[in-house]
PDB file of all heavy atoms in Angstrom:
ATOM      1  N   ASP A 414      11.662  36.693  70.631  1.00 78.00           N
ATOM      2  CA  ASP A 414      11.137  37.936  69.953  1.00 78.00           C
ATOM      3  C   ASP A 414      10.658  38.939  70.918  1.00 78.00           C
ATOM      4  O   ASP A 414      10.830  40.094  70.685  1.00 78.00           O
ATOM      5  CB  ASP A 414       9.996  37.463  69.059  1.00 78.00           C
ATOM      6  CG  ASP A 414      10.489  36.569  67.931  1.00 78.00           C
ATOM      7  OD1 ASP A 414      11.661  36.649  67.596  1.00 78.00           O
ATOM      8  OD2 ASP A 414       9.659  35.769  67.367  1.00 78.00           O
ATOM      9  N   SER A 415       9.960  38.507  72.046  1.00 75.00           N
ATOM     10  CA  SER A 415       9.367  39.463  72.905  1.00 75.00           C
ATOM     11  C   SER A 415      10.227  39.702  74.185  1.00 75.00           C
ATOM     12  O   SER A 415       9.838  40.315  75.168  1.00 75.00           O
ATOM     13  CB  SER A 415       8.011  38.937  73.443  1.00 75.00           C
ATOM     14  OG  SER A 415       8.062  37.677  74.023  1.00 75.00           O
ATOM     15  N   LEU A 416      11.442  39.176  74.169  1.00 79.00           N
ATOM     16  CA  LEU A 416      12.270  39.348  75.416  1.00 79.00           C
ATOM     17  C   LEU A 416      12.875  40.719  75.511  1.00 79.00           C
ATOM     18  O   LEU A 416      13.294  41.335  74.514  1.00 79.00           O
ATOM     19  CB  LEU A 416      13.392  38.293  75.428  1.00 79.00           C
ATOM     20  CG  LEU A 416      12.985  36.820  75.362  1.00 79.00           C
ATOM     21  CD1 LEU A 416      14.169  35.972  75.565  1.00 79.00           C
ATOM     22  CD2 LEU A 416      12.019  36.547  76.597  1.00 79.00           C
ATOM     23  N   LYS A 417      12.887  41.330  76.633  1.00 80.00           N
ATOM     24  CA  LYS A 417      13.478  42.595  76.938  1.00 80.00           C
ATOM     25  C   LYS A 417      15.130  42.385  76.885  1.00 80.00           C
ATOM     26  O   LYS A 417      15.806  43.263  76.405  1.00 80.00           O
ATOM     27  CB  LYS A 417      13.130  43.183  78.377  1.00 80.00           C
ATOM     28  CG  LYS A 417      11.618  43.504  78.426  1.00 80.00           C
ATOM     29  CD  LYS A 417      11.350  44.020  79.807  1.00 80.00           C
ATOM     30  CE  LYS A 417       9.830  44.412  79.909  1.00 80.00           C
ATOM     31  NZ  LYS A 417       9.504  44.863  81.313  1.00 80.00           N
ATOM     32  N   THR A 418      15.585  41.247  77.426  1.00 79.00           N
ATOM     33  CA  THR A 418      17.085  41.009  77.382  1.00 79.00           C
ATOM     34  C   THR A 418      17.199  39.618  76.666  1.00 79.00           C
ATOM     35  O   THR A 418      17.220  38.578  77.241  1.00 79.00           O
ATOM     36  CB  THR A 418      17.577  40.914  78.817  1.00 79.00           C
ATOM     37  OG1 THR A 418      16.796  39.959  79.626  1.00 79.00           O
ATOM     38  CG2 THR A 418      17.562  42.235  79.448  1.00 79.00           C
ATOM     39  N   PRO A 419      17.373  39.677  75.387  1.00 81.00           N
ATOM     40  CA  PRO A 419      17.500  38.496  74.530  1.00 81.00           C
ATOM     41  C   PRO A 419      18.810  37.759  74.786  1.00 81.00           C
ATOM     42  O   PRO A 419      19.795  38.314  75.345  1.00 81.00           O
ATOM     43  CB  PRO A 419      17.364  38.939  73.145  1.00 81.00           C
ATOM     44  CG  PRO A 419      17.827  40.330  73.170  1.00 81.00           C
ATOM     45  CD  PRO A 419      17.428  40.863  74.526  1.00 81.00           C
ATOM     46  N   PHE A 420      18.878  36.588  74.256  1.00 85.00           N
ATOM     47  CA  PHE A 420      20.121  35.689  74.307  1.00 85.00           C
ATOM     48  C   PHE A 420      21.256  36.339  73.534  1.00 85.00           C
ATOM     49  O   PHE A 420      21.031  36.768  72.333  1.00 85.00           O
ATOM     50  CB  PHE A 420      19.835  34.354  73.886  1.00 85.00           C
ATOM     51  CG  PHE A 420      21.057  33.459  73.798  1.00 85.00           C
ATOM     52  CD1 PHE A 420      21.660  33.003  74.987  1.00 85.00           C
ATOM     53  CD2 PHE A 420      21.567  33.091  72.595  1.00 85.00           C
ATOM     54  CE1 PHE A 420      22.781  32.133  74.868  1.00 85.00           C
ATOM     55  CE2 PHE A 420      22.702  32.250  72.601  1.00 85.00           C
ATOM     56  CZ  PHE A 420      23.337  31.705  73.642  1.00 85.00           C
ATOM     57  N   CYS A 421      22.432  36.454  73.981  1.00 84.00           N
ATOM     58  CA  CYS A 421      23.573  37.085  73.298  1.00 84.00           C
ATOM     59  C   CYS A 421      24.761  36.122  73.298  1.00 84.00           C
ATOM     60  O   CYS A 421      25.018  35.513  74.341  1.00 84.00           O
ATOM     61  CB  CYS A 421      24.009  38.342  73.961  1.00 84.00           C
ATOM     62  SG  CYS A 421      25.318  39.160  73.088  1.00 84.00           S
ATOM     63  N   LEU A 422      25.289  35.775  72.080  1.00 84.00           N
ATOM     64  CA  LEU A 422      26.318  34.869  71.915  1.00 84.00           C
ATOM     65  C   LEU A 422      27.651  35.655  71.823  1.00 84.00           C
ATOM     66  O   LEU A 422      27.951  36.360  70.925  1.00 84.00           O
ATOM     67  CB  LEU A 422      26.124  34.063  70.612  1.00 84.00           C
ATOM     68  CG  LEU A 422      26.815  32.748  70.447  1.00 84.00           C
ATOM     69  CD1 LEU A 422      26.251  31.841  71.532  1.00 84.00           C
ATOM     70  CD2 LEU A 422      26.648  32.185  69.073  1.00 84.00           C
ATOM     71  N   LYS A 423      28.453  35.434  72.892  1.00 87.00           N
ATOM     72  CA  LYS A 423      29.699  36.215  72.910  1.00 87.00           C
ATOM     73  C   LYS A 423      30.858  35.331  72.577  1.00 87.00           C
ATOM     74  O   LYS A 423      31.041  34.235  73.085  1.00 87.00           O
ATOM     75  CB  LYS A 423      30.032  36.709  74.361  1.00 87.00           C
ATOM     76  CG  LYS A 423      28.877  37.744  74.870  1.00 87.00           C
ATOM     77  CD  LYS A 423      29.222  38.212  76.228  1.00 87.00           C
ATOM     78  CE  LYS A 423      28.220  39.302  76.581  1.00 87.00           C
ATOM     79  NZ  LYS A 423      28.380  39.810  77.967  1.00 87.00           N
ATOM     80  N   GLU A 424      31.661  35.726  71.577  1.00 89.00           N
ATOM     81  CA  GLU A 424      32.643  34.855  70.918  1.00 89.00           C
ATOM     82  C   GLU A 424      33.733  34.446  71.965  1.00 89.00           C
ATOM     83  O   GLU A 424      34.032  33.231  71.987  1.00 89.00           O
ATOM     84  CB  GLU A 424      33.358  35.596  69.803  1.00 89.00           C
ATOM     85  CG  GLU A 424      34.330  34.776  69.051  1.00 89.00           C
ATOM     86  CD  GLU A 424      34.846  35.338  67.740  1.00 89.00           C
ATOM     87  OE1 GLU A 424      34.411  36.569  67.508  1.00 89.00           O
ATOM     88  OE2 GLU A 424      35.519  34.790  66.992  1.00 89.00           O
ATOM     89  N   LYS A 425      34.191  35.310  72.744  1.00 92.00           N
ATOM     90  CA  LYS A 425      35.262  35.003  73.738  1.00 92.00           C
ATOM     91  C   LYS A 425      34.691  33.951  74.747  1.00 92.00           C
ATOM     92  O   LYS A 425      35.465  32.944  75.189  1.00 92.00           O
ATOM     93  CB  LYS A 425      35.684  36.187  74.467  1.00 92.00           C
ATOM     94  CG  LYS A 425      36.618  37.132  73.640  1.00 92.00           C
ATOM     95  CD  LYS A 425      37.122  38.230  74.533  1.00 92.00           C
ATOM     96  CE  LYS A 425      37.968  39.226  73.606  1.00 92.00           C
ATOM     97  NZ  LYS A 425      38.536  40.312  74.385  1.00 92.00           N
ATOM     98  N   VAL A 426      33.528  34.095  75.245  1.00 92.00           N
ATOM     99  CA  VAL A 426      32.864  33.172  76.108  1.00 92.00           C
ATOM    100  C   VAL A 426      32.717  31.811  75.502  1.00 92.00           C
ATOM    101  O   VAL A 426      33.144  30.695  76.134  1.00 92.00           O
ATOM    102  CB  VAL A 426      31.565  33.689  76.646  1.00 92.00           C
ATOM    103  CG1 VAL A 426      30.861  32.580  77.483  1.00 92.00           C
ATOM    104  CG2 VAL A 426      31.671  34.949  77.376  1.00 92.00           C
ATOM    105  N   ILE A 427      32.271  31.682  74.245  1.00 94.00           N
ATOM    106  CA  ILE A 427      31.985  30.422  73.545  1.00 94.00           C
ATOM    107  C   ILE A 427      33.390  29.747  73.313  1.00 94.00           C
ATOM    108  O   ILE A 427      33.424  28.537  73.556  1.00 94.00           O
ATOM    109  CB  ILE A 427      31.214  30.686  72.268  1.00 94.00           C
ATOM    110  CG1 ILE A 427      29.785  31.088  72.531  1.00 94.00           C
ATOM    111  CG2 ILE A 427      31.207  29.402  71.412  1.00 94.00           C
ATOM    112  CD1 ILE A 427      29.033  30.127  73.370  1.00 94.00           C
ATOM    113  N   CYS A 428      34.285  30.541  72.800  1.00 94.00           N
ATOM    114  CA  CYS A 428      35.657  29.935  72.472  1.00 94.00           C
ATOM    115  C   CYS A 428      36.238  29.304  73.804  1.00 94.00           C
ATOM    116  O   CYS A 428      36.835  28.275  73.755  1.00 94.00           O
ATOM    117  CB  CYS A 428      36.526  31.059  71.951  1.00 94.00           C
ATOM    118  SG  CYS A 428      38.151  30.399  71.505  1.00 94.00           S
ATOM    119  N   LYS A 429      36.176  30.023  74.908  1.00 96.00           N
ATOM    120  CA  LYS A 429      36.683  29.519  76.174  1.00 96.00           C
ATOM    121  C   LYS A 429      36.094  28.269  76.633  1.00 96.00           C
ATOM    122  O   LYS A 429      36.604  27.295  77.061  1.00 96.00           O
ATOM    123  CB  LYS A 429      36.612  30.637  77.205  1.00 96.00           C
ATOM    124  CG  LYS A 429      37.238  30.180  78.652  1.00 96.00           C
ATOM    125  CD  LYS A 429      37.190  31.333  79.650  1.00 96.00           C
ATOM    126  CE  LYS A 429      37.767  30.905  80.941  1.00 96.00           C
ATOM    127  NZ  LYS A 429      37.789  31.967  81.943  1.00 96.00           N
TER     128      LYS A 429
END
Side-chain angles (χ1 to χ4, degrees):
D414 295 337
S415 59
L416 298 184
K417 293 179 181 178
T418 54
F420 175 72
C421 180
L422 201 65
K423 297 181 180 179
E424 186 171 2
K425 288 184 178 180
V426 173
I427 292 299
C428 182
K429 182 178 180 180

